[in-house]
């Protein structure tokens, strides 16, 4: 019987669209680009080698929300793959003169766009553009509202796999806690979906009731309100930022109180497995959700996540061009 070729990756809008084989395909490609980075002290070095996978292609970054890591690492990833990269400055674009997102997209297609990497405050914005462009352009969701941030989810799982994966690169044996503002977090939604797809059984979430979404008990996760209980013995702690920009009212009494109950400091970290990894998608708010001694400590892989994010984004962009 002939081996079936994997389905094409036209767009990446949500991790819900990927199966376990898709994850493995992306991770294996990313591992090539990560160039066997050193594991000592949780340092990562990503080779600055140039590849030609996207030679002659144009990647347009359309960020309707601020970004440091995602925008820059997509630009680096596309450049390393030899694409022409254009990052539209939305603040000074004709969006400000009332142009619709679809008219903007049509004009960029007339300029030869092959990829749109889109970040937008509205959930569903990337899907909206993907429905419009069909198979003429690849669309990558770089974060839409509180819905999804698929490449962040991928790079978080890739980081776990890199540092704690078993000999087959599997992470299903790990016990993981996701901490904080789950309600507004597209990152948490992508992480949970990815962890479940990869067979992780022990997924815990913890936060105050005001920051947990309704119905979270049906998401296949263990729900906690007490961080000291939730962190017990875990292999990885996935911290989240308080997403103030998405809060319609004050949902925590004060940052000081929030840190007291849900902040990660060295004392609390001792309750986890001694080799537990600390992850955070960034930007971090020191003293609000995480203490500097932990963010900069030996168990932190926060900067390794950023470096591995380049390899993940190179993997996604390069697999799309093969579809
Ligand atoms: N993690 C993340 O999305 O960071 P940026 O907002 O800086 O892109």
């Amino acid at each position: 019987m002939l081996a079936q070729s994997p389905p094409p990756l036209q767009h990446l809008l949500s991790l819900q669209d990927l199966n376990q084989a898709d994850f493995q395909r992306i991770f294996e490609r990313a591992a090539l680009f990560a160039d066997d980075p050193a594991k000592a002290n949780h340092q990562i070095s990503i080779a600055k080698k140039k590849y030609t996978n996207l030679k002659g292609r144009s990647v347009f970054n359309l960020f309707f929300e601020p970004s440091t890591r995602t925008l820059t690492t997509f630009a680096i990833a596309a450049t390393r793959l030899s694409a022409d990269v254009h990052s539209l400055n939305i603040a000074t674009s004709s969006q400000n003169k009332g142009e619709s997102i679809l008219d903007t997209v049509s004009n960029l297609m007339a300029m030869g766009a092959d990829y749109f990497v889109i970040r937008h405050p509205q959930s569903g914005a990337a899907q909206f553009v993907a429905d419009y462009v069909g198979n003429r352009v690849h669309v990558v969701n770089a974060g839409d509202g509180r819905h999804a941030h698929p490449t962040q989810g991928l790079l978080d799982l890739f980081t776990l796999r890199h540092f704690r994966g078993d000999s087959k690169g599997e992470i299903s044996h790990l016990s993981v806690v996701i901490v904080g503002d789950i309600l507004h977090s597209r990152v948490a939604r992508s992480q949970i979906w990815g962890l479940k797809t990869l067979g992780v059984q022990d997924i815990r979430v913890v936060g105050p009731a005001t920051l947990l979404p309704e119905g979270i008990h049906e998401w296949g996760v263990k729900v906690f309100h007490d961080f000291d209980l939730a962190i017990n013995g875990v292999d990885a702690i996935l911290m989240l930022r308080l997403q103030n920009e998405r809060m319609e009212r004050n949902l925590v009494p004060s940052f000081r109180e929030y840190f007291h109950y849900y902040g990660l400091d060295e004392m609390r970290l001792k309750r986890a497995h001694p080799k537990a990894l600390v992850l955070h998608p960034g930007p971090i708010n020191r003293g609000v959700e995480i203490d500097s001694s932990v963010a900069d400590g030996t168990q932190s892989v926060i900067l390794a996540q950023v470096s591995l994010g380049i390899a993940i984004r190179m993997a996604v962009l390069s697999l799309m061009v093969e579809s």
Side-chain angles (χ1 to χ4, degrees):
M1 202 160 71
L2 286 174
Q4 280 200 326
S5 56
L9 190 60
Q10 175 65 33
H11 305 304
L12 179 59
L13 305 175
S14 161
L15 293 188
Q16 281 172 263
D17 301 330
L18 304 185
N19 61 28
Q20 208 171 72
D22 296 324
F23 276 89
Q24 294 311 340
R25 195 154 57 110
I26 293 168
F27 291 159
E28 280 163 25
R29 177 65 61 89
L32 298 178
F33 292 130
D35 198 34
D36 194 21
K39 293 188 187 183
N41 304 321
H42 297 148
Q43 300 290 314
I44 295 289
S45 77
I46 299 293
K48 291 186 180 165
K49 194 171 155 190
K50 275 268 195 184
Y51 299 81
T52 54
N53 307 52
L54 265 66
K55 197 166 173 54
R57 313 277 171 155
S58 293
V59 176
F60 282 76
N61 288 318
L62 307 179
F63 278 58
F64 295 79
E65 271 190 349
S67 170
T68 296
R69 282 145 288 271
T70 313
L71 174 62
T72 313
T73 55
F74 262 114
I76 293 170
T79 306
R80 297 248 168 99
L81 293 169
S82 301
D84 297 323
V85 184
H86 310 276
S87 296
L88 193 70
N89 185 345
I90 297 296
T92 57
S93 78
S94 289
Q95 287 278 313
N96 281 334
K97 299 179 203 162
E99 186 170 59
S100 74
I101 187 166
L102 293 187
D103 280 333
T104 299
V105 158
S106 296
N107 279 269
L108 298 177
M109 285 166 76
M111 298 177 204
D114 296 297
Y115 287 82
F116 291 129
V117 179
I118 300 179
R119 169 168 290 189
H120 201 281
Q122 296 294 329
S123 295
Q127 177 78 60
F128 181 64
V129 172
D131 289 345
Y132 177 69
V133 303
N135 61 7
R136 294 174 293 168
V137 178
H138 297 289
V139 176
V140 185
N141 182 4
D144 62 330
R146 58 175 81 172
H147 169 237
H149 192 348
T151 56
Q152 181 69 47
L154 283 168
L155 76 89
D156 294 341
L157 299 175
F158 188 55
T159 303
L160 294 178
R161 181 187 192 264
H162 183 78
F163 290 110
R164 288 287 180 280
D166 68 13
S167 57
K168 292 184 190 151
E170 294 195 2
I171 60 166
S172 56
H173 59 287
L174 297 181
S175 147
V176 171
V177 63
I178 303 173
V179 187
D181 184 2
I182 318 277
L183 178 64
H184 301 99
S185 179
R186 54 196 177 207
V187 173
R189 283 168 179 76
S190 292
Q191 288 170 334
I192 291 170
W193 198 265
L195 288 164
K196 285 171 64 174
T197 305
L198 294 183
V200 177
Q201 302 291 318
D202 189 2
I203 308 170
R204 311 176 194 180
V205 297
V206 59
T210 50
L211 293 179
L212 296 181
E214 223 175 281
I216 193 166
H217 292 89
E218 279 123 57
W219 290 13
V221 297
K222 298 171 193 165
V223 180
F224 292 79
H225 297 295
D226 184 335
F227 193 8
D228 288 327
L229 289 181
I231 197 173
N232 258 329
V234 295
D235 300 298
I237 305 145
L238 280 50
M239 300 302 297
L240 297 171
R241 180 176 66 86
L242 281 179
Q243 313 252 300
N244 291 308
E245 71 275 24
R246 276 185 248 291
M247 288 187 198
E248 282 147 19
R249 60 193 167 89
N250 281 348
L251 296 174
V252 294
S254 70
F255 290 151
R256 214 171 109 180
E257 199 162 334
Y258 182 80
F259 185 77
H260 177 71
Y261 288 106
Y262 297 103
L264 185 60
D265 60 13
E266 287 186 274
M267 283 298 287
R268 210 162 247 151
L269 183 56
K270 285 191 199 322
R271 291 175 174 268
H273 185 281
K275 287 189 174 171
L277 301 175
V278 176
L279 289 83
H280 193 306
I284 60 174
N285 286 313
R286 294 170 186 266
V288 177
E289 72 267 356
I290 191 163
D291 192 68
S292 280
S293 60
V294 175
D296 304 328
T298 55
Q299 289 170 255
S300 169
V301 290
I302 295 171
L303 294 179
Q305 285 172 267
V306 177
S307 304
L308 291 172
I310 298 172
I312 281 290
R313 288 170 176 136
M314 288 174 78
V316 167
L317 295 175
S318 65
L319 286 168
M320 283 177 150
V321 84
E322 293 162 21
S323 65

